[in-house]
Amino acid sequence: MKRISNSVVTVVISFCLVAGFSLASVAKAENIKVGAILAVTGGASFLGGPEARTLEMMVEEINANGGINGNKIDLIIKDSGANPEKAISFTKQLIEEEKVFAIIGPSTSGETMKIKNIVEEAKMILLSCAAAEVIVNPVAKYVFKTPQKDSHAVQKIYGTMKDMGITKIAVLAGNTGFGKAGKGQLEKIAPEFGIEVLMAEVYDKKATDLSAVVAKLMANKDIQAVVNWSIVPAQGILAKNMRQAGWDVPLFQSHGFGNIKYVEAGGAAAEGIIFPAGRLLIANSLPEGHPQKQLLVRYLIDYETKYPEDKVSTFGGHAYDALTILVAAIEKAGTDKEKVRDAIENLTGVAGTAGVFNFSPEDHNGLDINSFEMLTVKDGKFALYHK
Amino acid sequence: MTPELFIQYLFAGITYGIIYAIVAIGFNIIYNTTGIINFAQGEFVMLGGMIAITMHSVMPIPLAIVAAVVITMVVGALIEMVFIRWLESPSVLRMIIITIGISILAREVALHIWGESVRALPYFIGNEVTSVSILGAKISPQVLWVIGVCSLMVAGLSLFFKFTSLGREMRACAANRRAATLCGINTKNMVTLSFVLSAGIGAVAGCVMSPITYSDYSMGPNLAIKGFTVAILGGLGNSVAAVTAGLLLGIIEAFSISVLPLAFQDAIATSILLLILFVRPHGLFGSSEAASLKEF
């Protein structure tokens, strides 16, 4: 009933505007418009690129199978280039002009934080693909996120360090929202594990050489390990600069390292890097019967078949999870925005690429620390880290 | 500071510095024949690296680099012929805007050809973890390649401008274009040649630095800003000064890390640029009289 009255209103309003315009909106009344703000180009393109490709692939498949409850999806991808100002204007455009049903993205934490209040005021469902915990803590009613929390990643890393007997570390972070939030968490959680952060440095996200800062850190002989927190190519550069300088302390990276291209770029220097990540990267070596196994292997094969020039990464997985969650909620609650929001909040046991999601009104991320595994790089490939 | 640490910083600085200097020399060559700043200079470096990486999948590294340099030079020539050559006495501002447009265009084309991913040429010698020990500091052999190749290029260029008739003709254009025309020098061809040359040296730099810094479609503007700073710092048009200024900036940046947080590294270049523009707009080594005679 409500949908009919909605479309009546749409028709009346549209006739007041332009005749051609109204035809279009009536014809598309059954479609669900999903907006996506992703950093397809620019400094964070290795996040946004796979995310956009994943969404296009999924929407194509969903529509080919008849849509969600018979409603097809209209996907509108906006390329923010990781620029927060662009993200803000695209958000307004998607809400006010395109009148989308929900927004997926942005790819980066900095952008997400800039639009958090805008979507909240507009009562627009946002499923962020960015990792920083501040996105869902404090909880905003309409804001959800699919990547694992950085505090869980930090705890996982510190847990591993404790097992290795490491107590004094150096922290490096990129000057992005993700890097800053991660550095904050690393410094905050360290005392809980009896770990001391001796030095902390922030580098530019476009940094192309870190040998000078490596020299600075290396001069401090007490440092037993380095943790790097960034999503940029500097992750590989740091590894190279450290090993070239002959510094062989363990290098830990954040869950932002989950792209095999970084391993390729780091080459021999990437060997032995330890980092927390979802299970997508080791999907094929998961035991049969693991709740995520089937889905991970399917996504991996689908993605690499459709985009043979690209390798699957956890980042595309975050978009996969966002759309999966949205679809699951729409299947449950129909096409009423408020009901779908409530449905997302009550979703439990939904297997995604990042882990098994159990949302609640207090937890808009829905993942626990067990969604992470510690991985390492062995012979140019990701492998489970064994102590 | 221990001597090893000092050497480590010094080499990091020289590596940055020599790359900045090469970009600055690219600016200078074109500035000398046309009086404009070619803001697409960083894109030549990007193209060199990216083309070499693509070529490397079918041929060995040395051939791939030669091919990349030649292709980039052709691109440089095409850019000049399509966008600059036919302009009848264009204003400096107009030409600068054109080069900014070319830079954006080149980046978009690169994005479509290579996508957004970051690539790298393999190390010329050894791999990512190989290092040589110099006075107690550990340096990647690739750093020596960068320093060696770039120094050779600078030396070669100064010989070219001093001792070959072509080089002298280009310098004549720089000194006074009308007089050069009167002497029978085809100044339009000299301008094309200057684009070819600066595209070439940019491409060489793009290839040797690729294993260290990686190449991606968007690396140009950052390099262009640093190169521009260096060109201004040394005095526009003066290539030897550009090398000195480049090394100076690189070494300042590297050593700044020992006292300042790393995050300020890029702010240093910008601060120097602003300072020099206010205090000595003709550069550290330029003469103010010569600068006042130039249009830009």
Side-chain angles (χ1 to χ4, degrees), chain A residues 21 60 76 107 221 223 225 233 252 258 262 267 295 365 370:
Chain A
F21 190 74
E60 206 172 283
I76 304 164
S107 311
K221 302 284 178 216
I223 293 172
F252 290 80
Y262 292 145
L295 164 138
N365 178 212
N370 294 321

Side-chain angles (χ1 to χ4, degrees), chain A residues 32-316:
Chain A
I32 300 170
K33 270 192 179 183
V34 176
I37 301 170
L38 302 170
V40 184
T41 59
S45 52
F46 40 89
L47 307 174
E51 285 163 359
R53 286 191 282 273
T54 300
L55 288 182
E56 279 166 359
M57 177 185 88
M58 290 174 76
V59 168
E60 206 172 283
E61 195 193 322
I62 292 171
N63 288 346
N65 293 336
I68 319 168
N69 300 336
N71 299 319
K72 298 219 162 149
I73 300 179
D74 272 347
L75 179 66
I76 304 164
I77 296 180
K78 301 281 183 192
D79 175 13
S80 69
N83 177 341
E85 276 71 42
K86 274 195 190 169
I88 291 173
S89 60
F90 282 140
T91 308
K92 289 180 178 157
Q93 198 185 346
L94 287 174
I95 295 173
E96 286 158 21
E97 288 172 33
E98 302 281 1
K99 306 210 184 311
V100 294
F101 185 81
I103 297 176
I104 292 177
S107 311
T108 66
S109 303
E111 293 170 88
T112 309
M113 291 313 289
K114 285 273 192 257
I115 68 166
K116 189 176 173 183
N117 287 333
I118 303 175
V119 293
E120 190 68 7
E121 272 171 30
K123 301 191 188 329
M124 171 62 60
I125 300 169
L126 182 78
L127 292 144
S128 172
C129 300
E133 184 158 358
V134 281
I135 296 168
V136 291
N137 182 18
V139 169
K141 198 175 167 197
Y142 292 88
V143 180
F144 300 84
K145 81 178 193 85
T146 56
Q148 301 91 339
K149 280 183 205 158
D150 38 17
S151 59
H152 285 156
V154 170
Q155 285 164 7
K156 200 86 186 172
I157 289 175
Y158 283 166
T160 311
M161 284 184 173
K162 221 174 165 186
D163 295 340
M164 295 166 78
I166 292 169
T167 53
K168 292 188 169 71
I169 62 165
V171 170
L172 277 171
N175 67 344
T176 58
F178 179 71
K180 281 181 214 153
K183 181 166 166 274
Q185 295 283 2
L186 282 164
E187 285 168 338
K188 193 176 103 193
I189 298 173
E192 292 172 26
F193 287 80
I195 285 170
E196 207 182 326
V197 179
L198 293 183
M199 289 171 109
E201 289 279 353
V202 175
Y203 54 82
D204 187 78
K205 61 185 170 204
K206 291 211 157 182
T208 51
D209 188 291
L210 296 169
S211 52
V213 78
V214 165
K216 181 179 180 181
L217 296 180
M218 215 175 129
N220 189 335
K221 302 284 178 216
D222 288 335
I223 293 172
Q224 294 169 300
V226 175
V227 185
N228 175 52
W229 212 269
S230 71
I231 44 168
V232 287
Q235 296 181 103
I237 292 169
L238 173 67
K240 287 198 294 190
N241 290 159
M242 277 176 68
R243 301 309 179 221
Q244 278 159 3
W247 201 24
D248 54 1
V249 296
L251 172 60
F252 290 80
Q253 304 262 14
S254 72
H255 42 320
F257 191 66
N259 188 333
I260 196 75
K261 278 182 191 156
Y262 292 145
V263 176
E264 284 164 10
E271 290 293 308
I273 287 176
I274 308 169
F275 70 106
R279 295 183 179 83
L280 177 61
L281 304 173
I282 46 155
N284 285 320
S285 48
L286 279 179
E288 292 300 328
H290 189 280
Q292 288 175 267
K293 167 107 185 180
Q294 200 190 351
L295 164 138
L296 291 177
V297 172
R298 205 183 113 209
Y299 171 51
L300 199 147
I301 294 172
D302 283 357
Y303 188 87
E304 292 183 0
T305 318
K306 188 158 169 69
Y307 306 108
E309 74 287 358
D310 201 15
K311 284 268 171 24
V312 81
S313 69
T314 52
F315 312 123

Side-chain angles (χ1 to χ4, degrees), chain B residues 110-157:
Chain B
L111 177 62
H112 278 278
I113 298 177
W114 291 290
E116 75 285 342
S117 65
V118 172
R119 294 141 198 266
L121 272 181
Y123 279 70
F124 298 176
I125 293 176
N127 62 12
E128 289 80 0
V129 292
T130 321
S131 63
V132 288
S133 195
I134 295 175
L135 302 172
K138 299 252 169 88
I139 313 289
S140 164
Q142 193 66 29
V143 166
L144 303 180
W145 269 102
V146 172
I147 297 173
V149 169
C150 292
S151 315
L152 273 182
M153 257 192 318
V154 172
L157 277 175

Side-chain angles (χ1 to χ4, degrees), chain B residues 38-287:
Chain B
N38 168 32
F39 278 100
Q41 189 60 38
E43 270 60 40
F44 290 146
V45 180
M46 178 270 289
L47 280 179
M50 296 302 267
I51 295 173
I53 293 162
T54 307
M55 290 291 171
H56 176 54
S57 57
V58 289
M59 53 181 88
I61 297 183
L63 274 181
I65 291 177
V66 172
V69 172
V70 171
I71 294 174
T72 312
M73 285 165 114
V74 171
V75 171
L78 282 178
I79 284 176
E80 198 278 334
M81 286 192 241
V82 174
F83 295 103
I84 311 276
R85 196 182 183 92
W86 54 274
L87 295 176
E88 294 282 338
S89 60
S91 70
V92 167
L93 190 63
R94 186 168 160 207
M95 296 225 275
I96 289 175
I97 304 271
I98 288 175
T99 66
I100 293 176
I102 295 169
S103 140
I104 296 171
L105 190 69
R107 238 173 301 148
E108 290 299 315
V109 171
L111 177 62
H112 278 278
I113 298 177
W114 291 290
E116 75 285 342
S117 65
V118 172
R119 294 141 198 266
L121 272 181
Y123 279 70
F124 298 176
I125 293 176
N127 62 12
E128 289 80 0
V129 292
T130 321
S131 63
V132 288
S133 195
I134 295 175
L135 302 172
K138 299 252 169 88
I139 313 289
S140 164
Q142 193 66 29
V143 166
L144 303 180
W145 269 102
V146 172
I147 297 173
V149 169
C150 292
S151 315
L152 273 182
M153 257 192 318
V154 172
L157 277 175
S158 29
L159 290 180
F160 169 78
F161 281 120
K162 264 214 177 91
F163 297 112
T164 66
S165 68
L166 203 55
R168 278 198 289 255
E169 284 176 20
M170 286 181 77
R171 279 199 299 149
C173 277
N176 187 325
R177 211 197 292 199
R178 182 166 296 168
T181 318
L182 289 174
C183 295
I185 296 170
N186 185 336
T187 48
K188 293 220 159 175
N189 283 354
M190 291 302 128
V191 173
T192 313
L193 189 64
S194 71
F195 270 81
V196 170
L197 257 186
S198 59
I201 62 165
V204 173
C207 293
V208 289
M209 67 190 269
S210 173
I212 304 181
T213 64
Y214 299 153
S215 309
D216 74 301
Y217 79 97
S218 65
M219 68 191 288
N222 245 19
L223 278 174
I225 291 175
K226 294 285 172 64
F228 182 62
T229 307
V230 165
I232 297 278
L233 186 61
L236 265 177
N238 184 344
S239 289
V240 180
V243 176
T244 320
L247 292 177
L248 193 64
L249 178 65
I251 291 171
I252 291 176
E253 277 192 1
F255 278 94
S256 73
I257 290 172
S258 65
V259 279
L260 283 174
L262 182 56
F264 288 101
Q265 200 181 24
D266 279 340
I268 292 170
T270 322
S271 315
I272 290 178
L273 177 62
L274 287 176
L275 196 70
I276 212 85
L277 282 175
F278 280 123
V279 182
R280 263 187 90 88
H282 46 278
L284 286 182
F285 310 103
S287 97

